[in-house]
Amino acid sequence: MKLDAAKLAARPQRLLRDGMIAAVARHPDKVALVIEGKSYTYAELLDAASRLAQALIQRGVKKGDRVAIYMDNTWPCVVSIYATLLAGAVFLVINPQTKADKLEFILDDSDAILLLTDVHLATVFSDAVKANTKLNGIISSGDLSQAALQLSMSVEAFDAVIEQSESLAEPVNIIPNDLAALIYTSGSTGFPKGVMQTHQAMVFAAWSLIEYQRLTEDHRIILVLPIAFDYGLYQLIMTMKLGATLIVERSFTFPAQVYKRIEEFGATVFPGVPTIFAMMISSHKKKPLRIPGITRITNTAAALPADFVPYLKEIFPNALIYKMYGLTECKRVSYLEPELVDAKLTSVGKAIPGTEMYLLTPEGQPVPPGETGILHVRGPHVMVGYWKQPELSAKMLKPGKLPGERVLCTQDWFRTDKEGFFYFVGRSDDIIKTRGEKVSPVEVENVLHSMPQIKEAAVIGVPDDVFGQSVKAFVALEKDAELNDKQIKKFCMAHLENYMVPKDIVFMEELPKTANGKIDKKLLMQGGA
């Protein structure tokens, strides 16, 4: 017995999976996804996801259990997300750049029941699961015969699991208050923290984004960002909610290929980050680039430099340009109406529809226009908290305007102008936001300290027009040690994701200290010693 999409679609879209089901009921044969040039319909997605959901349940996945998805931007990745949702479980998509030690931590911290992965990541996930006693098994896409797997648990082939499973007759019953996803983001301790997002929070956020971006089911979104990055994930969620089409590439590594896909499949929406736009503008300056079919450009992760805008208008002559600000803990905070992109060059706009944002002093008092304050966010999109971290959750979730209400205290400094537009001033924590990713200085410092020749190390974020911030390391070597910056970067690349590797390394005889003996990062930021 197959899942009855028409029957389920008659209900309101309360859950994250409901958008995909409703789209199947409306137009089952419409192309939902184009992944590396291959098209998949909504009916095909529902069939594969419902079969995998049944397989997950047969392998012990119950309502509320966590299912880890460690994959690239592939068909199996999308199927895995919606299978997890149909099974009533909680998905967590892990960046495929993640190394074994961090993967091991996330799998253990989340108490994941199953790992869905790609065979080309076998050398990493094999190391990560050696000591794991919580996983019931691993399902991997790709040719398993090509991987030398020496594991204590079974590894099943993704395609075979789907082919051998019957379709789920009815999705597992859950309610909007239940968790839909854990989104892991870097923490100040050096270990990632899991942001808990409910179905109702993610459904609300998706519809709010759809509303202000003025999207319809006729739009075709080109995705070159990782689905593991919440900015990329929400392109998928919005597509499913609308019944639109998502054109998926693994990355922007080969721009010519991306441009070909845009033209071939008629993409109309281009979500990007400053690093991608910088590459495009650099090419445009050498040889004019024009993509008239794109009608929406969206930017978040790092601020879009004002001098990028004229070039983007040349490259995308028919596009609305959206500048936005957000953080994983509530997905998106603000956006600037594209008609104001020239008048408010450095503003991140106002609150997204259905939400409120305001500034308070550290003492909790309102902040007048022109003065800086800490940004607070109020709305249904705010996270429940951090997984297993009540103290850290309490730091970010503060009492709101109504009795019992909790609002998100972003810990970031902003100011407003007299018209109520918001301007980002700076971060109040040590987390570095670079290339659309969050980097914990502690994590990078731990890797640097693991090199025997390094005596001391400190990592900070410095302003960068393209990356938002770049990672800068200060190191002091042991006496008579010989080490250069290329050797340090090579070591870091072997132990960290690429975006975490320091862009600049400064050698010092000794790092400056505060009165209590701690390394004085403030002095390093000021350029002193």
Side-chain angles (χ1 to χ4, degrees):
M1 181 177 177
K2 288 189 176 182
L3 189 149
D4 189 341
K7 176 183 175 182
L8 295 169
R11 307 170 185 172
Q13 289 191 27
R14 297 188 182 101
L15 305 173
L16 209 53
R17 67 197 184 196
D18 292 343
M20 184 265 290
I21 295 171
V24 173
R26 292 200 308 274
H27 34 226
D29 297 327
K30 181 176 179 177
V31 173
L33 300 149
V34 179
I35 302 182
E36 295 183 299
K38 184 176 180 180
S39 297
Y40 300 87
T41 67
Y42 274 97
E44 289 175 319
L45 176 57
L46 179 60
D47 179 64
S50 59
R51 287 175 182 274
L52 182 57
Q54 179 73 358
L56 297 182
I57 293 169
Q58 291 172 344
R59 285 154 180 78
V61 173
K62 301 183 295 297
K63 173 182 173 179
D65 282 343
R66 274 71 58 205
V67 174
I69 302 169
Y70 179 51
M71 292 178 164
D72 281 302
N73 285 9
T74 59
W75 167 250
C77 180
V78 176
V79 172
S80 297
I81 290 171
Y82 280 90
T84 303
L85 293 171
L86 289 171
V90 180
F91 70 85
L92 49 140
V93 186
I94 304 169
N95 195 317
Q97 289 189 42
T98 301
K99 299 298 190 289
D101 53 350
K102 185 186 289 188
L103 177 61
E104 180 182 2
F105 171 83
I106 293 174
L107 292 175
D108 182 68
D109 183 69
S110 65
D111 301 319
I113 296 296
L114 279 175
L115 172 63
L116 302 173
T117 186
D118 295 326
V119 72
H120 76 89
L121 298 169
T123 55
V124 180
F125 73 72
S126 294
D127 287 341
V129 303
K130 283 180 179 177
N132 193 296
T133 60
K134 302 171 185 176
L135 286 174
N136 288 348
I138 300 171
I139 299 174
S140 174
S141 67
D143 186 355
L144 295 181
S145 66
Q146 301 300 310
L149 297 170
Q150 296 180 342
L151 300 171
S152 60
M153 66 187 74
S154 65
V155 180
E156 299 179 89
F158 186 90
D159 290 341
V161 167
I162 291 179
E163 289 172 7
Q164 295 165 11
S165 298
E166 295 183 356
S167 178
L168 187 69
E170 186 81 13
V172 172
N173 185 46
I174 52 177
I175 66 171
N177 294 62
D178 287 324
L179 285 186
L182 287 183
I183 303 176
Y184 274 84
T185 182
S186 290
S188 57
T189 61
F191 294 101
K193 53 187 186 291
V195 174
M196 295 188 286
Q197 286 286 10
T198 65
H199 282 265
Q200 64 184 9
M202 297 184 79
V203 168
F204 171 85
W207 283 119
S208 185
L209 270 59
I210 287 168
E211 178 183 344
Y212 76 72
Q213 292 178 34
R214 311 167 199 175
L215 301 177
T216 71
E217 66 176 18
D218 296 324
H219 279 106
R220 301 169 74 86
I221 304 171
I222 178 83
L223 178 62
V224 298
L225 306 165
I227 294 175
F229 178 20
D230 72 336
Y231 187 24
L233 173 63
Y234 270 83
Q235 306 309 315
L236 171 63
I237 294 170
M238 291 190 295
T239 298
M240 296 295 112
K241 289 292 177 190
L242 286 166
T245 300
L246 186 68
I247 304 159
V248 183
E249 292 295 307
R250 293 205 181 200
S251 69
F252 196 68
T253 304
F254 304 103
Q257 180 66 42
V258 174
Y259 302 151
K260 181 181 177 182
R261 299 278 194 236
I262 290 173
E263 184 175 1
E264 182 180 359
F265 295 102
T268 59
V269 182
F270 191 108
V273 294
T275 49
I276 289 175
F277 294 131
M279 291 172 64
M280 298 181 77
I281 291 170
S282 177
S283 296
H284 175 67
K285 289 178 178 178
K286 298 172 185 174
K287 183 180 178 181
L289 178 64
R290 193 171 186 271
I291 310 176
I294 297 294
T295 62
R296 306 282 190 282
I297 298 173
T298 63
N299 176 84
T300 190
L304 185 69
D307 58 0
F308 278 24
V309 173
Y311 293 111
L312 291 178
K313 287 182 176 181
E314 293 175 3
I315 298 171
F316 303 101
N318 299 316
L320 299 172
I321 300 175
Y322 284 88
K323 297 169 67 175
M324 308 180 297
Y325 164 80
L327 63 166
T328 309
E329 287 78 358
C330 68
K331 174 48 199 163
R332 187 67 42 74
V333 175
S334 66
Y335 77 103
L336 183 68
E337 290 281 3
E339 290 80 4
L340 298 174
V341 71
D342 293 318
K344 301 286 184 180
L345 282 174
T346 58
S347 174
V348 295
K350 296 183 178 181
I352 66 173
T355 72
E356 184 180 354
M357 53 193 290
Y358 53 90
L359 304 183
L360 297 176
T361 66
E363 296 73 34
Q365 298 302 310
V367 175
E371 295 185 15
T372 58
I374 299 171
L375 180 68
H376 290 67
V377 181
R378 182 173 180 244
H381 58 330
V382 170
M383 69 171 180
V384 177
Y386 297 114
W387 180 256
K388 294 182 179 178
Q389 298 201 48
E391 292 183 2
L392 187 57
S393 299
K395 178 184 176 183
M396 296 293 285
L397 298 174
K398 302 293 186 181
K401 296 182 177 182
L402 301 176
E405 180 187 32
R406 288 292 180 269
V407 299
L408 179 65
C409 175
T410 68
Q411 306 295 337
D412 287 346
W413 292 88
F414 279 74
R415 65 176 177 83
T416 59
D417 61 22
K418 293 180 179 179
E419 297 172 285
F421 288 88
F422 285 74
Y423 298 80
F424 178 75
V425 175
R427 307 188 69 83
S428 56
D429 57 22
D430 283 337
I431 294 298
I432 302 165
K433 199 165 186 179
T434 181
R435 308 186 196 185
E437 301 282 354
K438 290 182 179 179
V439 175
S440 165
V442 175
E443 188 170 357
V444 183
E445 288 164 1
N446 288 342
V447 170
L448 292 171
H449 282 132
S450 70
M451 297 187 74
Q453 304 96 322
I454 292 180
K455 180 174 64 175
E456 295 178 320
V459 172
I460 64 172
V462 295
D464 189 299
D465 289 340
V466 175
F467 297 147
Q469 287 182 299
S470 63
V471 180
K472 186 173 185 177
F474 296 83
V475 298
L477 302 182
E478 296 287 355
K479 187 178 180 181
D480 299 325
E482 293 183 2
L483 202 62
N484 59 42
D485 59 347
K486 290 183 179 179
Q487 292 170 313
I488 294 176
K489 289 181 181 180
K490 184 178 179 180
F491 183 86
C492 287
M493 289 182 70
H495 295 82
L496 295 166
E497 289 89 330
N498 293 342
Y499 60 84
M500 302 180 76
V501 175
K503 181 182 177 183
D504 299 301
I505 298 172
V506 177
F507 292 86
M508 305 178 72
E509 289 188 7
E510 185 174 340
L511 302 190
K513 309 291 194 304
T514 62
N516 59 9
K518 292 184 178 181
I519 293 175
D520 193 341
K521 287 192 176 182
K522 288 185 178 180
L523 192 58
L524 291 175
M525 289 179 181
Q526 295 166 2

